[in-house]
PDB file of all heavy atoms in Angstrom:
ATOM      1  N   ASP A  90      49.285 -50.640  47.677  1.00  0.00           N
ATOM      2  CA  ASP A  90      47.897 -51.110  47.557  1.00  0.00           C
ATOM      3  C   ASP A  90      47.133 -50.907  48.856  1.00  0.00           C
ATOM      4  O   ASP A  90      45.960 -50.525  48.845  1.00  0.00           O
ATOM      5  CB  ASP A  90      47.858 -52.581  47.128  1.00  0.00           C
ATOM      6  CG  ASP A  90      48.260 -52.753  45.672  1.00  0.00           C
ATOM      7  OD1 ASP A  90      48.040 -51.801  44.880  1.00  0.00           O
ATOM      8  OD2 ASP A  90      48.795 -53.821  45.311  1.00  0.00           O
ATOM      9  N   ALA A  91      47.782 -51.139  49.988  1.00  0.00           N
ATOM     10  CA  ALA A  91      47.128 -50.921  51.285  1.00  0.00           C
ATOM     11  C   ALA A  91      46.824 -49.436  51.485  1.00  0.00           C
ATOM     12  O   ALA A  91      45.755 -49.076  52.004  1.00  0.00           O
ATOM     13  CB  ALA A  91      48.015 -51.441  52.417  1.00  0.00           C
ATOM     14  N   ILE A  92      47.737 -48.576  51.041  1.00  0.00           N
ATOM     15  CA  ILE A  92      47.515 -47.132  51.158  1.00  0.00           C
ATOM     16  C   ILE A  92      46.334 -46.714  50.281  1.00  0.00           C
ATOM     17  O   ILE A  92      45.489 -45.914  50.688  1.00  0.00           O
ATOM     18  CB  ILE A  92      48.798 -46.346  50.794  1.00  0.00           C
ATOM     19  CG1 ILE A  92      49.895 -46.646  51.823  1.00  0.00           C
ATOM     20  CG2 ILE A  92      48.516 -44.850  50.699  1.00  0.00           C
ATOM     21  CD1 ILE A  92      51.271 -46.120  51.452  1.00  0.00           C
ATOM     22  N   ARG A  93      46.244 -47.269  49.086  1.00  0.00           N
ATOM     23  CA  ARG A  93      45.109 -46.972  48.201  1.00  0.00           C
ATOM     24  C   ARG A  93      43.794 -47.354  48.864  1.00  0.00           C
ATOM     25  O   ARG A  93      42.824 -46.591  48.838  1.00  0.00           O
ATOM     26  CB  ARG A  93      45.238 -47.731  46.877  1.00  0.00           C
ATOM     27  CG  ARG A  93      46.253 -47.208  45.924  1.00  0.00           C
ATOM     28  CD  ARG A  93      46.236 -48.052  44.633  1.00  0.00           C
ATOM     29  NE  ARG A  93      47.480 -47.981  43.927  1.00  0.00           N
ATOM     30  CZ  ARG A  93      47.841 -47.000  43.089  1.00  0.00           C
ATOM     31  NH1 ARG A  93      47.028 -46.012  42.878  1.00  0.00           N
ATOM     32  NH2 ARG A  93      49.012 -47.027  42.492  1.00  0.00           N
ATOM     33  N   LYS A  94      43.758 -48.552  49.461  1.00  0.00           N
ATOM     34  CA  LYS A  94      42.530 -49.004  50.146  1.00  0.00           C
ATOM     35  C   LYS A  94      42.195 -48.093  51.306  1.00  0.00           C
ATOM     36  O   LYS A  94      41.028 -47.774  51.542  1.00  0.00           O
ATOM     37  CB  LYS A  94      42.693 -50.447  50.617  1.00  0.00           C
ATOM     38  CG  LYS A  94      42.664 -51.445  49.488  1.00  0.00           C
ATOM     39  CD  LYS A  94      42.908 -52.861  49.992  1.00  0.00           C
ATOM     40  CE  LYS A  94      43.030 -53.810  48.811  1.00  0.00           C
ATOM     41  NZ  LYS A  94      43.451 -55.151  49.228  1.00  0.00           N
ATOM     42  N   GLU A  95      43.216 -47.644  52.040  1.00  0.00           N
ATOM     43  CA  GLU A  95      43.009 -46.727  53.167  1.00  0.00           C
ATOM     44  C   GLU A  95      42.417 -45.402  52.699  1.00  0.00           C
ATOM     45  O   GLU A  95      41.567 -44.815  53.359  1.00  0.00           O
ATOM     46  CB  GLU A  95      44.344 -46.480  53.868  1.00  0.00           C
ATOM     47  CG  GLU A  95      44.268 -45.549  55.052  1.00  0.00           C
ATOM     48  CD  GLU A  95      45.639 -45.294  55.656  1.00  0.00           C
ATOM     49  OE1 GLU A  95      46.449 -46.242  55.752  1.00  0.00           O
ATOM     50  OE2 GLU A  95      45.910 -44.134  56.021  1.00  0.00           O
ATOM     51  N   MET A  96      42.847 -44.941  51.537  1.00  0.00           N
ATOM     52  CA  MET A  96      42.373 -43.660  51.000  1.00  0.00           C
ATOM     53  C   MET A  96      40.961 -43.766  50.431  1.00  0.00           C
ATOM     54  O   MET A  96      40.152 -42.858  50.572  1.00  0.00           O
ATOM     55  CB  MET A  96      43.323 -43.168  49.899  1.00  0.00           C
ATOM     56  CG  MET A  96      44.703 -42.769  50.397  1.00  0.00           C
ATOM     57  SD  MET A  96      45.898 -42.472  49.048  1.00  0.00           S
ATOM     58  CE  MET A  96      45.211 -41.025  48.274  1.00  0.00           C
ATOM     59  N   LEU A  97      40.658 -44.875  49.772  1.00  0.00           N
ATOM     60  CA  LEU A  97      39.387 -45.018  49.054  1.00  0.00           C
ATOM     61  C   LEU A  97      38.316 -45.610  49.974  1.00  0.00           C
ATOM     62  O   LEU A  97      37.857 -46.731  49.787  1.00  0.00           O
ATOM     63  CB  LEU A  97      39.603 -45.884  47.810  1.00  0.00           C
ATOM     64  CG  LEU A  97      38.589 -45.757  46.683  1.00  0.00           C
ATOM     65  CD1 LEU A  97      38.427 -44.309  46.234  1.00  0.00           C
ATOM     66  CD2 LEU A  97      38.998 -46.611  45.502  1.00  0.00           C
ATOM     67  N   THR A  98      37.881 -44.840  50.945  1.00  0.00           N
ATOM     68  CA  THR A  98      36.883 -45.279  51.928  1.00  0.00           C
ATOM     69  C   THR A  98      35.488 -45.210  51.322  1.00  0.00           C
ATOM     70  O   THR A  98      35.272 -44.562  50.286  1.00  0.00           O
ATOM     71  CB  THR A  98      36.930 -44.366  53.170  1.00  0.00           C
ATOM     72  OG1 THR A  98      36.534 -43.042  52.770  1.00  0.00           O
ATOM     73  CG2 THR A  98      38.309 -44.353  53.806  1.00  0.00           C
ATOM     74  N   PRO A  99      34.521 -45.822  51.980  1.00  0.00           N
ATOM     75  CA  PRO A  99      33.134 -45.708  51.513  1.00  0.00           C
ATOM     76  C   PRO A  99      32.665 -44.247  51.451  1.00  0.00           C
ATOM     77  O   PRO A  99      31.918 -43.871  50.541  1.00  0.00           O
ATOM     78  CB  PRO A  99      32.344 -46.511  52.541  1.00  0.00           C
ATOM     79  CG  PRO A  99      33.317 -47.518  53.064  1.00  0.00           C
ATOM     80  CD  PRO A  99      34.632 -46.795  53.076  1.00  0.00           C
ATOM     81  N   GLN A 100      33.137 -43.399  52.374  1.00  0.00           N
ATOM     82  CA  GLN A 100      32.745 -41.985  52.360  1.00  0.00           C
ATOM     83  C   GLN A 100      33.306 -41.277  51.117  1.00  0.00           C
ATOM     84  O   GLN A 100      32.623 -40.459  50.491  1.00  0.00           O
ATOM     85  CB  GLN A 100      33.237 -41.266  53.638  1.00  0.00           C
ATOM     86  CG  GLN A 100      32.595 -41.732  54.906  1.00  0.00           C
ATOM     87  CD  GLN A 100      33.246 -43.005  55.482  1.00  0.00           C
ATOM     88  OE1 GLN A 100      34.231 -43.534  54.947  1.00  0.00           O
ATOM     89  NE2 GLN A 100      32.660 -43.516  56.560  1.00  0.00           N
ATOM     90  N   VAL A 101      34.543 -41.585  50.777  1.00  0.00           N
ATOM     91  CA  VAL A 101      35.159 -40.983  49.589  1.00  0.00           C
ATOM     92  C   VAL A 101      34.417 -41.452  48.332  1.00  0.00           C
ATOM     93  O   VAL A 101      34.102 -40.654  47.449  1.00  0.00           O
ATOM     94  CB  VAL A 101      36.672 -41.317  49.513  1.00  0.00           C
ATOM     95  CG1 VAL A 101      37.262 -40.853  48.187  1.00  0.00           C
ATOM     96  CG2 VAL A 101      37.411 -40.688  50.686  1.00  0.00           C
ATOM     97  N   LYS A 102      34.102 -42.735  48.268  1.00  0.00           N
ATOM     98  CA  LYS A 102      33.362 -43.264  47.112  1.00  0.00           C
ATOM     99  C   LYS A 102      32.003 -42.593  46.988  1.00  0.00           C
ATOM    100  O   LYS A 102      31.566 -42.248  45.880  1.00  0.00           O
ATOM    101  CB  LYS A 102      33.198 -44.780  47.236  1.00  0.00           C
ATOM    102  CG  LYS A 102      34.483 -45.546  47.033  1.00  0.00           C
ATOM    103  CD  LYS A 102      34.227 -47.048  47.210  1.00  0.00           C
ATOM    104  CE  LYS A 102      35.500 -47.856  47.101  1.00  0.00           C
ATOM    105  NZ  LYS A 102      35.275 -49.292  47.297  1.00  0.00           N
ATOM    106  N   ALA A 103      31.335 -42.390  48.117  1.00  0.00           N
ATOM    107  CA  ALA A 103      30.016 -41.732  48.093  1.00  0.00           C
ATOM    108  C   ALA A 103      30.147 -40.297  47.589  1.00  0.00           C
ATOM    109  O   ALA A 103      29.310 -39.821  46.802  1.00  0.00           O
ATOM    110  CB  ALA A 103      29.391 -41.763  49.489  1.00  0.00           C
ATOM    111  N   ALA A 104      31.191 -39.596  48.031  1.00  0.00           N
ATOM    112  CA  ALA A 104      31.410 -38.220  47.571  1.00  0.00           C
ATOM    113  C   ALA A 104      31.633 -38.192  46.058  1.00  0.00           C
ATOM    114  O   ALA A 104      31.139 -37.306  45.356  1.00  0.00           O
ATOM    115  CB  ALA A 104      32.605 -37.603  48.304  1.00  0.00           C
ATOM    116  N   MET A 105      32.368 -39.169  45.554  1.00  0.00           N
ATOM    117  CA  MET A 105      32.612 -39.251  44.110  1.00  0.00           C
ATOM    118  C   MET A 105      31.310 -39.464  43.351  1.00  0.00           C
ATOM    119  O   MET A 105      31.086 -38.848  42.306  1.00  0.00           O
ATOM    120  CB  MET A 105      33.585 -40.396  43.804  1.00  0.00           C
ATOM    121  CG  MET A 105      34.997 -40.147  44.255  1.00  0.00           C
ATOM    122  SD  MET A 105      35.979 -41.661  44.016  1.00  0.00           S
ATOM    123  CE  MET A 105      37.626 -41.045  44.323  1.00  0.00           C
ATOM    124  N   LYS A 106      30.459 -40.339  43.875  1.00  0.00           N
ATOM    125  CA  LYS A 106      29.191 -40.666  43.189  1.00  0.00           C
ATOM    126  C   LYS A 106      28.273 -39.462  43.055  1.00  0.00           C
ATOM    127  O   LYS A 106      27.513 -39.368  42.096  1.00  0.00           O
ATOM    128  CB  LYS A 106      28.485 -41.810  43.904  1.00  0.00           C
ATOM    129  CG  LYS A 106      29.152 -43.134  43.661  1.00  0.00           C
ATOM    130  CD  LYS A 106      28.389 -44.280  44.280  1.00  0.00           C
ATOM    131  CE  LYS A 106      29.130 -45.582  44.011  1.00  0.00           C
ATOM    132  NZ  LYS A 106      28.433 -46.735  44.544  1.00  0.00           N
TER     133      LYS A 106
END
Side-chain angles (χ1 to χ4, degrees):
D90 288 331
I92 295 170
R93 286 181 204 277
K94 288 177 186 172
E95 180 183 320
M96 292 170 67
L97 201 54
T98 65
Q100 294 83 2
V101 172
K102 289 179 183 179
M105 290 173 170
K106 286 185 181 182

